[in-house]
């Protein structure tokens, strides 16, 4: 009996040692919190969550409904990164707020587009037509490019569209009135209410409103646009291994294929 008890005790002790050893070699999990717009950014991040979990990264997603708070949250270290903006927007925010946020990588392009419930193409717009544009100054160059490509306006010589505004228009064939100052998220509502002759809507808000740039827009910016959406981080996060895994997952071929299939042209991956 005593011998049996000794053997049992030894077995229990050995098992405890093995379990302790296993515990010490278990993969450590690092939590990363990324701020994102609900569509498509948060959707894309949710898609890569299972893959990142296998890599030891617990990805938490904090959704923002506007373009103001995500950079403030990142700068104040409330989140580890954000995913909602393009580089010109980030540059403008840094300049206005004395910030130093940087890009960790370009992920996708959301083609900005012009929509209208009254006309079927830009060329159908009448003289003195009113085009509603959001208050997102960083997108004005994109809008100008669309109307320039349609032959409706020309720009002043030497204009850099990444920081252009409507004062840079040289000639305006139909004397189109570009009315600005609206919250980006309200643009689909203005479109549905026919507030202007046409409305310019960012793809994330268009998709949320069940609009497809490929099918519903009367004009879409070209795929060569420099306005690809990025993951922004603080400079001190440059060598963050967990964030590097996030970027790798976002830029993987499987994620790129999923983006193309899931969003059907409303969002295009940056290869």
């Amino acid at each position: 009996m005593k011998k049996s008890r000794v053997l049992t005790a030894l077995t229990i002790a050995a098992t405890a040692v093995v379990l302790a050893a296993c515990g010490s070699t278990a993969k450590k999990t690092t939590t990363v919190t990324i701020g994102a717009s609900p569509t498509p950014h948060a959707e894309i991040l949710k898609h890569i969550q299972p893959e990142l979990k296998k890599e030891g990264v617990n990805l938490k997603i904090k959704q923002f409904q506007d373009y103001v708070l995500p950079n403030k949250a990142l700068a104040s270290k409330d989140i580890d990164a954000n995913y909602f903006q393009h580089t010109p927007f980030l540059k403008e925010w840094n300049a206005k707020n004395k910030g130093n946020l940087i890009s960790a990588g370009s992920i996708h392009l959301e083609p900005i587009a012009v929509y209208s419930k009254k006309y079927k193409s830009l060329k159908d717009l009448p003289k003195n037509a009113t085009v509603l544009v959001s208050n997102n100054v960083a997108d004005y160059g994109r809008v100008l490019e669309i109307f320039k490509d349609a032959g409706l306006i020309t720009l002043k010589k030497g204009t850099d569209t990444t920081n252009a505004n409507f004062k840079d228009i040289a000639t305006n064939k139909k004397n189109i009135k570009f009315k600005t100052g609206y919250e980006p998220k309200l643009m689909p509502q203005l479109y549905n209410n026919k507030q202007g002759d046409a409305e310019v809507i960012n793809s994330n808000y268009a998709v949320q409103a069940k609009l497809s740039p490929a099918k519903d827009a009367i004009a879409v910016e070209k795929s060569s646009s420099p306005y690809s959406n990025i993951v922004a981080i603080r400079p001190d996060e440059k060598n963050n291994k967990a964030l590097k895994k996030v970027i790798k997952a976002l830029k993987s071929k499987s994620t790129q294929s999923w983006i193309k299939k899931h969003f059907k042209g409303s969002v295009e991956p940056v290869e």
Side-chain angles (χ1 to χ4, degrees), residues 137-191:
V137 178
D139 281 336
Y140 291 174
R142 306 172 76 181
V143 179
L144 291 170
E145 283 284 2
I146 292 174
F147 283 82
K148 180 174 74 72
D149 290 341
L152 297 181
I153 65 170
T154 61
L155 301 177
K156 294 176 183 177
K157 189 175 180 180
T159 296
D160 176 5
T161 52
T162 60
N163 58 19
N165 60 53
F166 298 104
K167 292 180 181 179
D168 293 310
I169 295 175
T171 61
N172 192 336
K173 190 176 180 181
K174 294 190 175 185
N175 195 34
I176 293 170
K177 311 294 184 183
F178 293 96
K179 191 175 179 182
T180 64
Y182 305 96
E183 284 290 326
K185 63 184 177 183
L186 296 179
M187 298 311 295
Q189 184 180 331
L190 296 175
Y191 162 75

Side-chain angles (χ1 to χ4, degrees), residues 93-105:
W93 189 89
N94 277 335
K96 284 185 176 180
N97 297 277
K98 297 181 180 179
N100 63 348
L101 304 181
I102 60 175
S103 170

